Amino acid sequence: MRRRAGITKQAIAGIIIVVVVIAAAAVLMMQGGGQPTPTPTSTPTGTPTTKTPTTTATIGTTTTTTMSTTTTTTTTTTTTTTQPQLRTITIGSSTIRVPDDFYEFVQKAKNGEISVTINFWTSMLPFEVDAITQVVNEFESEYPGIKVSYTGTQQNMKEAIKAGVLANDLENTANVFTWAHDWTGELADGGFIVPLDKYLPPETIEDLQSQYLTNAYSAGVYNLHLYGLPWAAEAIALVCNAEMVQTPPKTFAELEQIMQQYYNPDNDTYGLAYQIDPYFVYPFVTAFGGYYYDDETGSVGVNSTGTKEGIKFLIQHVLAYEFTGDLGHETQLNIFQQGKAPCMITGPWDIPAIKENIPNITVSAIPPIDDKVPRPFSGIKLLWISKVTEQDQNKLYASILFVMWFSLNDDTLKSLVDNAGFIPVKKSVVTYISEHIDQYPIVAGFIESISNSIPMPKSPQMAKVWGPVAEALSAILATYSESGPDAALEAVDQALDNAQESILQSLSG
């Protein structure tokens, strides 16, 4: 018993010592002699030179934080990150979530409580400028606080915008401008345009994405950033003289029968009018799985099996029914307008001229080759905001509002269809066209082709691809003219191999 009693006393003494040590440590800790572990919701300011946020300013979704150095103290503070509140604005039939400060700007613009001017540039034909001018007037009427200074036909627009941004010339440079989407890579890489997702939160981007055809929206995305909003598109399609072809062919076999029927070069009639260049022949390249340049991987496929097969099919089943003395645009267009060919493969830009000579036409997608779908290049018309606009928040927000309104307002987009023949890419307007196809047969035909299309590459590297492909096609056509179709078929492989090698050398250099 004594032994057990003695052990108990020693244990008790040890416990007392431990308690004393812990208490002493706690006292030292309270006096600054130690650093307690912070919790996730508090920041200790008792640690020398610890920096904590003291000011938060939010512009769009960009948050600027000012840091200050604190002195040693026993006070703890809770730090929170300010997130922009979201409100909704309605444009046409679209409801879009936007940051609270942008929402307030929109209300002020609508009520005329601000006064800001933005410059809008296009490079268009006179009848297109007239249609766009009407759109600008409608915007100014709805948002009297914003004036849009519109330059309809700007010469050398891309270079003029680059020069203005480099000169930091806010007043004389475009704030908003539009062109086909393939400018995006060059302008983004050079820092000439503003990524919209820099100022609009993910919720706004998500709402915007849902409004457009998938391939149209994707045309505005580059390196995972959204740079432009789409409002129209172009792609080549099959245009037929309805007096010669009452029903558009559903298969390429049917089209070839039509071409055979009308092909009689001795009488100066042909089966098809179709210019030959890298852009125009692309549907036959893609039908067989070929391609020129892949934006996502950076790979070049000019001499891929699919590209070679597509060009060979073109020689055998398209060139065989054409006037090959001049495969340029003007000659081929004249052949069709003069009734020397029943159909032509071309884009919406030729429709006004064609209808002056052939009032009754049909438009449809290039028909499938068995189970192979020809996918033409498409050019998606985007609205961009120039980098110089970031100097002035009111101009920046006015530009963002104008870009959103222009691309989302159903009535505006329909007016552009009616007055200038632009092909819409907003889903609700596309649906409207499909429900009123008897009123919009030509537009509906081009929409069908655009739905099949592949947007042109956005990478600046594509500029190194066009030339060698054009040279390869020229060599093949020269062989066709001099030695006939069999020799041209044999020339395809070498011509495309040479083009591939030239492109790869240029890209590596």
Side-chain angles (χ1 to χ4, degrees), residues 485-497:
D486 291 340
L489 287 172
E490 293 179 3
V492 169
D493 288 359
Q494 188 61 56
L496 294 180
D497 287 345

Side-chain angles (χ1 to χ4, degrees), residues 213 231-233 413 417 422-426 429-430 433 443 447 450:
L213 297 179
W231 62 275
L413 296 171
V417 172
F422 287 114
I423 313 303
V425 293
K426 186 169 185 273
V429 181
V430 169
I433 296 294
V443 174
I447 287 175
I450 289 166

Side-chain angles (χ1 to χ4, degrees), residues 390-464:
E390 290 185 307
Q391 295 180 41
D392 186 314
Q393 181 172 303
N394 278 349
K395 284 185 182 291
L396 175 64
Y397 276 12
S399 298
I400 292 175
L401 174 59
F402 180 67
V403 165
M404 291 173 63
W405 183 90
F406 193 110
S407 67
L408 292 174
N409 192 304
D410 291 41
D411 291 339
T412 292
L413 296 171
K414 290 174 188 174
S415 75
L416 292 172
V417 172
D418 293 334
N419 298 327
F422 287 114
I423 313 303
V425 293
K426 186 169 185 273
K427 289 179 181 178
S428 57
V429 181
V430 169
T431 299
Y432 176 84
I433 296 294
S434 67
E435 292 173 348
H436 299 79
I437 196 168
D438 56 324
Q439 300 176 35
Y440 300 97
I442 293 174
V443 174
F446 280 115
I447 287 175
E448 181 186 7
S449 183
I450 289 166
S451 298
N452 289 342
S453 73
I454 299 172
M456 288 183 293
K458 292 162 282 189
S459 171
Q461 303 290 14
M462 186 61 189
K464 300 176 181 179

Side-chain angles (χ1 to χ4, degrees), residues 41-42 56 59 64 125 143 242 298 317 342-343 393 410 421 428 454 459:
T41 57
S42 64
T56 300
I59 301 175
T64 304
L125 297 172
Y143 299 97
H317 300 277
C343 299
Q393 181 172 303
D410 291 41
S428 57
I454 299 172
S459 171

Side-chain angles (χ1 to χ4, degrees), residues 23 43 203 257 279 295 422 427:
T43 302
E203 293 86 353
Q257 289 177 354
Y279 177 90
D295 250 342
F422 287 114
K427 289 179 181 178

Side-chain angles (χ1 to χ4, degrees), residues 97 112 116 132 242 316 356 379:
R97 292 170 291 176
V116 57
I132 298 294
Q316 294 174 304
E356 290 180 3

Side-chain angles (χ1 to χ4, degrees), residues 79-237:
T79 303
T80 58
T81 302
T82 302
Q83 297 293 337
Q85 289 184 321
L86 296 177
R87 307 280 288 277
T88 59
I89 60 173
T90 299
I91 299 176
S93 62
S94 305
T95 300
I96 307 296
R97 292 170 291 176
V98 297
D100 189 63
D101 58 342
F102 183 75
Y103 175 87
E104 295 299 332
F105 174 87
V106 172
Q107 301 312 306
K108 291 178 180 178
K110 185 172 290 188
N111 296 329
E113 297 172 4
I114 59 171
S115 179
V116 57
T117 298
I118 59 173
N119 300 327
F120 176 41
W121 287 4
T122 66
S123 184
M124 293 184 172
L125 297 172
F127 76 94
E128 296 173 321
V129 171
D130 291 342
I132 298 294
T133 299
Q134 179 179 330
V135 170
V136 168
N137 292 339
E138 291 171 0
F139 175 81
E140 291 179 330
S141 177
E142 186 170 345
Y143 299 97
I146 302 173
K147 175 177 174 53
V148 180
S149 179
Y150 176 43
T151 301
T153 306
Q154 174 66 42
Q155 301 298 323
N156 300 316
M157 184 167 65
K158 181 168 65 172
E159 298 308 317
I161 288 167
K162 286 182 178 180
V165 171
L166 291 174
N168 213 28
D169 187 354
L170 176 62
E171 297 305 319
N172 299 304
T173 304
N175 304 118
V176 178
F177 62 103
T178 186
W179 189 258
H181 74 278
D182 56 327
W183 282 6
T184 302
E186 178 185 353
L187 294 174
D189 287 347
F192 297 106
I193 53 178
V194 175
L196 296 173
D197 48 26
K198 180 178 179 180
Y199 296 98
L200 300 174
E203 293 86 353
T204 306
I205 302 302
E206 179 183 340
D207 290 347
L208 290 170
Q209 181 177 1
S210 68
Q211 302 298 315
Y212 313 103
L213 297 179
T214 300
N215 55 0
Y217 175 83
S218 68
V221 178
Y222 180 73
N223 285 344
L224 303 181
H225 291 286
L226 177 63
Y227 281 94
L229 293 183
W231 62 275
E234 295 175 337
I236 58 176

